[in-house]
Amino acid sequence: MSSSNDDFVFGRHAGIDFLKTQDADKINKIFLQRGVQEDFANQVYQLARKKHLIVQNAPKNKLDQLTNQANHQGLVLAVASFEYADLEELLDKFENEDREPFLLMLDSIEDPHNLGSILRTCDATGVDAVIIPKRRASGLTSVVAKTSTGAIDHVPVARVNNLVQTTQILKKRGYWFFGTAMRGIDYRRWDAKGKTVLVIGNEGKGISPLLLKQMDQTLTIPMIGHVQSLNASVATGAMLYQMFNSRHPLA
């Protein structure tokens, strides 16, 4: 049995990526559903042998139980609890590398599917780190890992006590803050070069008033349809690709 301190990574893409990229001591047990395709099973066994890990064949209902009936695709890894990055260490590292980082701050994103999708886009667009609050927000969970399709292993996530205080610390280090809001400059005019932090608000309430006051500029996504809102992960994706376009323009 897995221990109460286990988290789970499940799904073929996320599971295989975790097996390929993570140290063996982060993986407590591998559950492989009986009767999965032979080529997939062979891939799992091969990766497990390289790390001297044992694969436990289990019936589908066992994997269903471990993942609360989620779509595990026949593979579940019981892993050590997901680790958060230390923000101060990250900031020092960026300064030592003498570059201009791009950070994403998420103000109380509650849906783990949104967080997972956002991490996937962060990996694709080169976001240097993500900052989330410790309270009233999704943390790193098995659902986040599954939805991120492996990006959770590559994008540092720092969890902090107070976003407003963190904003003030980052401003002292020379970071500029841009937040999404109903009113602001058109996001297509956004120049995201330099030491930059993009702040995305809660799915329903947006950025909290105290945090919104810390923004150097607000950005808005124009909409011409009947529904005047976007899913948090979709809006973040649009913003991050404007950042990418700003930092990596076509020749």
Side-chain angles (χ1 to χ4, degrees):
M1 290 293 292
S2 58
S3 77
S4 59
N5 293 323
D6 286 340
D7 281 314
F8 295 98
V9 172
F10 54 87
R12 296 194 176 187
H13 189 100
I16 292 297
D17 184 81
F18 201 93
L19 282 170
K20 286 180 176 178
T21 62
Q22 300 300 307
D23 295 334
D25 59 6
K26 291 187 177 181
I27 303 170
N28 297 329
K29 189 165 288 188
I30 303 172
F31 297 94
L32 184 66
Q33 182 179 317
R34 292 174 187 152
V36 295
Q37 296 96 323
E38 185 176 355
D39 57 343
F40 175 65
N42 289 338
Q43 184 181 16
V44 173
Y45 280 114
Q46 183 178 17
L47 290 169
R49 279 196 295 270
K50 288 181 179 179
K51 289 183 163 57
H52 306 288
L53 297 168
I54 296 174
V55 178
Q56 178 176 328
N57 282 287
K60 180 178 181 298
N61 60 6
K62 170 66 175 177
L63 277 65
D64 290 342
Q65 179 185 357
L66 291 172
T67 61
N68 292 320
Q69 309 298 318
N71 182 22
H72 50 72
Q73 301 174 309
L75 178 63
V76 177
L77 309 182
V79 303
S81 296
F82 296 108
E83 294 183 8
Y84 293 92
D86 182 280
L87 182 59
E88 289 291 336
E89 290 181 2
L90 283 175
L91 297 177
D92 290 343
K93 173 177 176 287
F94 297 150
E95 289 184 6
N96 290 336
E97 292 171 350
D98 194 28
R99 57 193 180 93
E100 299 178 331
F102 182 91
L103 311 180
L104 178 66
M105 177 180 283
L106 302 176
D107 183 10
S108 303
I109 294 295
E110 297 174 352
D111 186 342
H113 294 94
N114 278 337
L115 180 55
S117 295
I118 288 169
L119 290 178
R120 187 173 182 178
T121 308
C122 286
D123 181 56
T125 55
V127 172
D128 292 288
V130 175
I131 302 168
I132 63 174
K134 288 184 177 179
R135 294 179 294 277
R136 295 185 293 277
S138 173
L140 299 182
T141 68
S142 57
V143 174
V144 174
K146 171 69 164 58
T147 310
S148 79
T149 61
I152 194 173
D153 304 325
H154 306 288
V155 180
V157 178
R159 195 161 60 160
V160 300
N161 287 316
N162 188 294
L163 292 181
V164 173
Q165 291 177 3
T166 300
T167 299
Q168 294 166 352
I169 291 169
L170 285 163
K171 283 191 170 188
K172 289 178 181 178
R173 286 180 176 251
Y175 286 81
W176 289 82
F177 276 77
F178 298 85
T180 53
M182 292 299 292
R183 294 181 180 179
I185 68 165
D186 190 312
Y187 85 109
R188 292 171 294 178
R189 299 184 184 277
W190 178 33
D191 182 353
K193 293 187 285 292
K195 297 169 72 172
T196 301
V197 182
L198 172 66
V199 181
I200 300 291
N202 170 269
E203 290 95 338
K205 301 175 183 177
I207 300 174
S208 62
L210 288 176
L211 185 58
L212 190 60
K213 289 180 180 179
Q214 299 293 322
M215 299 302 104
D216 295 299
Q217 195 167 56
T218 56
L219 309 168
T220 189
I221 300 174
M223 300 178 214
I224 59 174
H226 298 289
V227 180
Q228 291 296 300
S229 64
L230 291 173
N231 171 277
S233 64
V234 173
T236 305
M239 302 298 297
L240 291 183
Y241 269 98
Q242 172 57 23
M243 173 276 290
F244 185 86
N245 183 55
S246 172
R247 291 187 168 219
H248 307 280
L250 294 173

